[in-house]
């Protein structure tokens, strides 16, 4: 259901670009949406999550790499943000950790390493960030 105003592909040359792209996605994630962000380590998934946070009225600096923390919660005035990093999990861990339940909670959810999930949550917005040889990032919306 891509509205005419929804971009599907972006080129980012600096972290600020990636944050702006994230911020622009915030509106379509309200109030309870899920954003899945694929990409290698260092691609810019957490930077993009910072942009989404700022678009939700949450200080971008609050959002840090949660690699050692499965879920981090950030509270804004209007909405809360749950930021998940599944890097260290396998499918069994995901089930045991109750991740599917977390994704059904109220608020906006952002998932790094969504390939660990057994199933794509219904209605999720999916992105893939690719680090290009010249250091720029290609960010594309994936059709589900
Ligand atoms: N265009 C860009 N977009 C996002 N991050 C960038 C960009 N250019 C350089 N970087 C740097 O790349 C790193 C991305 O880190 P991070 O977002 O934590 O990656 P990931 O969460 O995908 O592992 C940061 O140090 C950031 O400053
Ligand atoms: Mg990260």
């Amino acid at each position: 259901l891509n509205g005419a105003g929804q971009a599907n592909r972006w080129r980012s040359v600096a972290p600020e670009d990636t944050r702006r792209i994230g911020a622009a996605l915030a509106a379509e994630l309200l109030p309870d949406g899920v954003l899945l962000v694929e990409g290698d380590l260092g691609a810019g998934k957490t930077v993009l999550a910072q942009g989404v946070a700022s678009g939700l009225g949450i200080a971008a600096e609050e959002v840090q790499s949660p690699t050692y923390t499965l879920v981090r919660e950030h509270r804004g005035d209007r909405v809360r943000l749950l930021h998940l990093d599944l890097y260290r999990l396998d499918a069994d861990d995901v089930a045991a950790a109750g991740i599917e339940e977390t994704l059904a909670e109220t608020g906006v959810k952002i998932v790094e390493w969504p390939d660990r999930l057994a199933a794509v949550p219904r209605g999720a917005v999916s992105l893939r960030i690719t680090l290009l040889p010249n250091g720029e990032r290609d960010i594309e919306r994936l059709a589900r």
Side-chain angles (χ1 to χ4, degrees):
L1 233 94
N2 278 348
Q6 278 186 347
N8 290 314
R9 197 156 189 190
W10 304 262
R11 182 64 58 93
S12 168
V13 304
E16 256 329 298
D17 284 345
T18 299
R19 287 194 196 95
R20 256 194 300 275
I21 292 160
L25 290 165
E28 67 182 278
L29 295 170
L30 284 167
D32 297 316
V34 177
L35 175 64
L36 308 178
V37 190
E38 300 179 6
D40 289 340
L41 280 174
K45 301 179 294 299
T46 299
V47 168
L48 188 120
Q50 291 174 336
V52 175
S54 71
L56 296 173
I58 295 165
E61 316 83 68
E62 270 194 35
V63 177
Q64 303 289 337
S65 178
T67 290
Y68 297 95
T69 313
L70 208 49
V71 184
R72 290 171 61 135
E73 178 177 1
H74 306 281
R75 289 192 163 275
D77 290 338
R78 292 176 293 152
V79 67
R80 71 168 177 159
L81 170 65
L82 299 176
H83 181 204
L84 293 79
D85 188 317
L86 306 183
Y87 181 63
R88 288 168 192 285
L89 303 191
D90 64 24
D92 288 343
D93 296 331
V94 167
I99 299 299
E100 314 279 343
E101 289 79 359
T102 302
L103 295 180
E105 288 188 27
T106 58
V108 173
K109 285 76 63 177
I110 303 177
V111 183
E112 301 189 30
W113 301 99
D115 58 306
R116 272 56 166 170
L117 297 173
V120 175
R122 181 178 301 276
V125 174
S126 288
L127 299 180
R128 181 189 296 133
I129 306 179
T130 306
L131 173 56
L132 302 174
N134 66 1
E136 296 177 2
R137 270 72 171 173
D138 178 70
I139 303 176
E140 58 183 323
R141 188 192 290 266
L142 305 177
R144 292 292 187 190

